Amino acid sequence: MKRRAFLLSVALVVATAVGVIGTQILNAQQELAKGTILQRAELPGTKGKEAVLVLRELPLGAETGKHYQSGSEVAYVLEGSIIVEVKGKPPVTLKPGDTFQTGPKQEHNVKNASKTAPAKVLVYYVTEKGKPLADISRPVK
């Protein structure tokens, strides 16, 4: 009987830990997916694709975490500075006026490089038409 109670306790602790970790991952995904959608536009001549223009803000010390998009992204730094880490390439620090791009399923992470100011980035995505913004970005497993 003690063994059964012990195993049940262990299972409960493990389930709680998995729930907490899962919630943190989900919140990170939602944070990654946040941004102000400025425009969604169908792309003539590209069946099933659309452009999504998003204004993103990275608070102090924030980072997106390793992720990729199902489509392509082109980004322009408006304010602050960011560090872009693309898998297989050295990290690059960007300031206002700098740009970067990633292709479909290209793993990357974006960090706010400043200790004093948020970073603002204008991001243009080309993705499957009608996909919610949360589906554009997917964490790497």
Side-chain angles (χ1 to χ4, degrees):
M1 192 67 172
K2 286 183 181 181
R3 180 177 167 92
R4 183 176 288 174
F6 174 75
L7 290 176
L8 191 55
S9 296
V10 169
L12 183 60
V13 168
V14 169
T16 301
V18 167
V20 168
I21 292 169
T23 300
Q24 289 175 340
I25 291 171
L26 181 58
N27 287 340
Q29 282 181 275
Q30 290 170 346
E31 286 299 315
L32 181 61
K34 279 185 182 177
T36 303
I37 298 175
L38 303 174
Q39 185 172 15
R40 277 186 186 268
E42 190 172 322
L43 295 173
T46 54
K47 185 178 178 184
K49 298 284 184 182
E50 72 177 341
V52 183
L53 186 61
V54 179
L55 178 61
R56 295 198 179 278
E57 185 169 334
L58 279 171
L60 299 176
E63 65 181 271
T64 61
K66 292 179 183 177
H67 68 285
Y68 61 89
Q69 282 77 32
S70 60
S72 296
E73 83 177 319
V74 177
Y76 177 83
V77 181
L78 295 168
E79 295 177 15
S81 61
I82 61 172
I83 299 169
V84 180
E85 302 168 332
V86 177
K87 186 175 183 177
K89 297 181 180 179
V92 177
T93 301
L94 304 175
K95 59 187 183 332
D98 291 337
T99 63
F100 73 91
Q101 67 180 36
T102 62
K105 299 192 178 181
Q106 187 173 29
E107 182 181 312
H108 61 286
N109 182 39
V110 180
K111 298 179 183 180
N112 182 340
S114 174
K115 302 218 185 291
T116 59
K120 288 187 181 179
V121 182
L122 187 62
V123 187
Y124 176 82
Y125 297 96
V126 176
T127 189
E128 293 177 38
K129 184 178 180 194
K131 290 279 186 177
L133 189 55
D135 284 352
I136 293 173
S137 300
R138 295 184 177 92
V140 175
K141 295 179 182 175

